Amino acid sequence: MLNIRWLSFSGFGLLAAVWELVAQVLASPVFPPFSRVLPALWYLAWSGQAWHHTLVSIQHISLGFLWAAISGVSIGIAMTQYRPLALIVTPVVDAVRPVAALTIFPLLILILGVGLWSKTMVIWWTAWPPILLTTVQSVRQVDPFVIEAARLDGAGRRAMLTWIILPLATPGIITGLRIGLGSGWISLVAAEMLGSSAGLGYAILVSSQTFAFPAMYAVIILIALIGLAMNSALAGVQRMVEVQLCVHT
Amino acid sequence: MVRVTIQGNVRQRGLRWPQAPAKPREPPGGALPRQTNPPERLHGKMSLQYDAAFLYLCVNNVQRSVELETATVDINIQQLSVTYATHNGSIPALHDLSLTARSGEFVAVIGPSGCGKSTLLRAVGGLIPPTSGTITVGGVAPDTARRQRRISFVFQKPVLLPWRTARQNVEVPLQIAGWTRSRRVETAQRILQLVGLEAFADAYPHQLSGGMQQRVALARALVLEPAALLLDEPFSALDELSRERLHVELLRIWELTGATVLFVTHALTEAVFLADRVLVLSSSPGTIVTEIPIKLARPRTLALLEQEDFLDYVILARQALRRGQEEAKALTY
């Protein structure tokens, strides 16, 4: 019988098969078939060459995402509680959001250098707006009747926030975190390619410049896998929270 | 006074009337309020006869003995108007509405959708400020009464927190009020017993039926022993039979607590079955068309739903409702 879990993995198999086929037909050195990339990935993993870059990237994303999560969620909640703040912040966020983090990256390098802080800043810049906006949205979507009922029960602003609004908004806020983490990861890799001395983006750059194309594709796969793992981890947290709150469907 | 033989009339409608008296008692003056009109042309041209019979019914059922001992609060609304400000100017929701609910009285408010019934209730609950006019609950402003936990609300939906059990949901107001855990549990358990859910204290809302959830919401509203209970179409989402069961439950609880109840609904039978007095609202802007005192004996049981005098009241209310709507139309065109 066809298991659902296997079905959801079969897309990867299909992708690999198409890749293999097209690459074999093209037979181009810049597009090696999957069967040659896989050993390269194996080699990178076991020789330890990729570990350093992976750890650097994970360090960047952790720090940047942490800042983005803290600032996004807290400012988002503050915006729903104090309307003037929302009126001030919303236009700024909307104006800043379309400016890609990479456009300010050269400036960041000048100010913060090529190390940890410029990358953290890039991730923060990308991840913060979606987290903020989803937080605001999920707090606003809390059933007004529930809020009114709590108000009639005598709940003050703090009791309302801690007992009613935050629990009900948490699944939505986690969705925002997932979006923020995903987009942060994307811009991190791009930033590492533009100006860095380590990280997975840098590893791609170096391997392509040294014509080590299988290794380059291996790093791309690695980036995809890490992104997938991070997203699944947050999805797991989300599911746990939902089960805890009895709102899991 | 007109002497009437009721039998002819009643049989015509195919309803059983237990031993129609040969000599109906004369109604005392003013048994019916000025505003109320008995059903017209209910039996073709025999409206006069019906009037007398109707008066008889009202008078004969006056001997209800639900004089509540606990003096609670009365709700007093004087010339209340509420207007909502929108982008295209202001929309009047309620206009010049006055009503008084005595302590321990059960007042139902019926009206078409969008006539400002909920607005009225929210204003009495202190959730929205009146544009003009005054509201007092037990002599104080609604906002004050709400802070003193003298007002409770039950909404259309059972607004329960899904991660809390029935008992923990009932505990919410107590927790906010800062009660100790043991007192909270004990009180919540007692109130759940009152609404007949003591066996389901540890069940989560999603494990309960709609009717049970609404009973938990009722328990939550009752847990601080409010003097005034405001119900906003609380049973509208339930099926007919559970609703009827909950009506009887609600009346039982009301008689035990002696709270003043303001019950908003769009269901005629519900209003007549539950209330001491039914206020009929017209639509946009909402104002009281008429007021029908329901002089049916208490305690009321489900058998009442099939009784002649009950149905007469329903007809009366329906006519008033229709009249209100026609008047509103006449104003619009």
Side-chain angles (χ1 to χ4, degrees), chain A residues 79-114:
Chain A
M79 276 166 68
T80 58
Q81 299 300 302
Y82 306 101
R83 198 166 158 67
L85 186 69
L87 293 176
I88 295 167
V89 174
T90 312
V92 177
V93 174
D94 286 340
V96 162
R97 210 153 49 102
V99 179
L102 294 181
T103 56
I104 61 156
F105 188 58
L107 186 70
L108 290 177
I109 290 181
L110 283 178
I111 300 170
L112 302 167
V114 289

Side-chain angles (χ1 to χ4, degrees), chain A residues 143-155 160, chain B residues 80 82-84 94 117-131 135 137 141-147 151-156 159 220 230-232:
Chain A
D143 189 345
F145 281 106
V146 176
I147 292 175
E148 222 158 61
R151 191 135 58 99
L152 284 159
D153 287 340
M160 184 82 82
Chain B
L80 171 73
V82 176
T83 340
Y84 287 119
L94 291 173
K117 301 184 300 261
S118 295
T119 307
L120 170 68
L121 220 52
R122 287 157 57 86
V124 177
L127 288 172
I128 46 171
T131 311
I135 307 171
V137 179
D143 215 38
T144 318
R146 195 188 78 213
R147 289 214 196 90
I151 303 179
S152 265
F153 234 100
V154 180
F155 294 96
Q156 282 179 38
V159 281
R220 175 171 153 174
L230 310 177
L231 300 116
D232 189 1

Side-chain angles (χ1 to χ4, degrees), chain A residues 106-126:
Chain A
L107 186 70
L108 290 177
I109 290 181
L110 283 178
I111 300 170
L112 302 167
V114 289
L116 175 70
W117 292 107
S118 56
K119 307 302 178 307
T120 309
M121 196 66 194
V122 164
I123 295 163
W124 177 81
W125 181 280
T126 329

